[in-house]
Amino acid sequence: MSYDVIIIGSGPGGYVCAIKAAQLGLKVAVIEKRATFGGTCLNIGCIPSKALLHASEVFAHANHGMESLGVEIGKPTLNLEKMMAHKDATVKSNVDGVAFLFKKNKVESFIGTGKVLGEGKVSVTGDDGKTQELEAKNIVIATGSDVAGIPGVQVDIDEKIIVSSTGAIALDKVPQHIVVVGGGVIGLEMGSVWSRLGAKVTVIEYLDKILGGMDGEVSKQFQRILAKQGMDFKLSAKVTGVEKADKDGKGGAKVSFEPVKGGDAETIDADIVLIATGRKPYTEGLGLEEAGVVLDERGRVRTDHHYQTNVPGVYAIGDVIVGPMLAHKAEDEGVALAEIMAGQAGHVNYNVIPGVVYTQPEVASVGKTEEEIKTEGVKYKSGKFPFSANGRARAMEASDGFVKVLADAETDRVLGVHIIGLGAGEMIHEAAVLMEFGGSSEDLGRTCHAHPTMSEAVKEAALATFFKPIHL
């Protein structure tokens, strides 16, 4: 069978690329090794974790966030089985939605393991071991990423006691103590879920700050907020060992760590250990080496500015190539590549890709951090506005956090926006749109915002950047 495009992987990058290519008139096939579409994101990542984040937030709010509002309901009871059922139903709805979209757009699918055989040829091996060969003018590698583990440390992830994010979204009871190795997005999101449900959570992070790539001021305040919620942090700490306390795992696990700069080692006992040290590109078993596809020093597929590898007609997008490992980045690349393969001019603006941490409160950013701007030697100005001075935030008892706007000192063009607060992940997009069109802090500050809204804090931060805020 022959196609215009064969895509290996049906995660956000792969399925969006497939749908867009089909919409542009190309004959498309997708190869997926799972029984359901959607990749890590829809099946065991973004979507199920957000279902648990929301459900646990509702539980926590009912537990100690309603009385001051005049709502008295008594102590809520956690039904973890029902909460997990909600998560599973959410996943099913989303993966079924992708299957529907494939059918609607006449995208053919093959369930099995895909392998690049060379220019224009791909094989698919099903669970029954049978292999069939397909041909295509274009082949797209969109296989995403996998759990990275801990560099230099042997860790046996059994997804029961020592877990990755996959196991962390499927625990059958609330652990008394969960140790999270890694203070990045995944670790903090899943740690906050179980913290809200009653677990003691200790985060061990190699760097001297959480959310390593985010703005330093944001990181510091966010850590204070999470600590206030009960999470414990051990920063500048290097994990040297993670192992079960006994063979059957009934005794939980032990985590050994020591100061990065040297010092006495410590050991912590935990019921569950979550390994959340990042992810690595999934390129094994794809036949890339045999096909002559070049990888970079970090195991990512090397591509040019049009997502093409060194092998003509073989492309790659998403987590397997350079750039942030974000579902929406992969989606945008999928659209751009589909347009390129259809003879159009696809493009992604990598300077305007938002990042969100879906805790409570949320953390969101777009563009450059203050540290990055300083390193580049650019003259800049910044403006901040706290939610404690925002009327809507006060009304909803959501006054934690702030908005920070960074702009070029000479042109006033906005270079970055950073938000901690309720709904930050939604508010960040007006900054993204502004930056996509090269807008200034004055443009944003002079744009009328509805009152009372949380978004007024974004306007006020912009006002503070180019002149002075009104309500502070």
Side-chain angles (χ1 to χ4, degrees), residues 104-375:
K104 176 184 175 183
N105 289 282
K106 297 181 173 57
V107 174
E108 294 185 36
S109 60
F110 297 86
I111 300 300
T113 301
K115 186 175 181 179
V116 179
L117 301 178
E119 191 176 335
K121 293 185 182 297
V122 175
S123 68
V124 186
T125 304
D127 289 340
D128 58 4
K130 292 181 180 178
T131 299
Q132 57 182 316
E133 195 170 300
L134 308 175
E135 293 183 358
K137 296 174 186 175
N138 304 288
I139 299 167
V140 180
I141 302 160
T143 44
S145 58
D146 202 358
V147 178
I150 305 175
V153 179
Q154 179 62 41
V155 181
D156 177 22
I157 297 178
D158 65 354
E159 302 296 9
K160 297 185 184 302
I161 302 299
I162 302 173
V163 303
S164 68
S165 55
T166 303
I169 62 168
L171 301 181
D172 57 5
K173 64 180 180 180
V174 179
Q176 287 189 316
H177 186 197
I178 179 168
V179 170
V180 179
V181 181
V185 176
I186 295 172
L188 296 179
E189 286 185 354
M190 294 315 304
S192 69
V193 166
W194 294 106
S195 175
R196 284 193 287 264
L197 297 181
K200 175 185 176 183
V201 176
T202 301
V203 178
I204 303 175
E205 169 55 47
Y206 184 86
L207 300 177
D208 61 358
K209 56 178 279 196
I210 60 173
L211 296 179
M214 284 210 173
D215 187 89
E217 194 173 5
V218 169
S219 173
K220 286 178 184 176
Q221 178 150 347
F222 186 48
Q223 184 183 334
R224 286 196 290 268
I225 291 171
L226 292 180
K228 192 176 170 183
Q229 292 176 4
M231 292 175 69
D232 187 28
F233 295 90
K234 297 188 181 296
L235 305 180
S236 300
K238 178 183 178 182
V239 171
T240 55
V242 179
E243 57 184 19
K244 292 180 187 176
D246 49 49
K247 289 183 179 179
D248 59 13
K250 291 181 179 178
K254 294 180 181 293
V255 181
S256 303
F257 62 97
E258 59 189 34
V260 170
K261 295 181 179 178
D264 296 335
E266 293 182 55
T267 299
I268 297 180
D269 294 326
D271 300 285
I272 300 292
V273 179
L274 167 58
I275 307 300
T277 48
R279 298 180 67 82
K280 61 183 179 182
Y282 188 91
T283 56
E284 296 176 13
L286 297 176
L288 301 183
E289 188 176 341
E290 299 93 320
V293 175
V294 174
L295 306 182
D296 69 12
E297 69 284 352
R298 294 177 60 180
R300 298 171 299 200
V301 179
R302 196 184 293 278
T303 62
D304 62 16
H305 293 303
H306 293 100
Y307 310 105
Q308 184 163 248
T309 69
N310 61 299
V311 177
V314 178
Y315 301 83
I317 57 172
D319 287 3
V320 293
I321 69 170
V322 70
M325 289 183 168
L326 296 170
H328 44 285
K329 175 259 197 185
E331 289 184 355
D332 275 16
E333 288 175 342
V335 170
L337 177 53
E339 291 171 337
I340 288 167
M341 291 186 296
Q344 299 181 8
H347 172 71
V348 175
N349 183 356
Y350 289 97
N351 293 317
V352 188
I353 296 180
V356 182
V357 188
Y358 297 90
T359 47
Q360 189 62 276
E362 290 180 343
V363 180
S365 70
V366 64
K368 297 186 184 299
T369 66
E370 191 162 359
E371 291 76 17
E372 287 172 333
I373 295 172
K374 286 178 179 177
T375 299

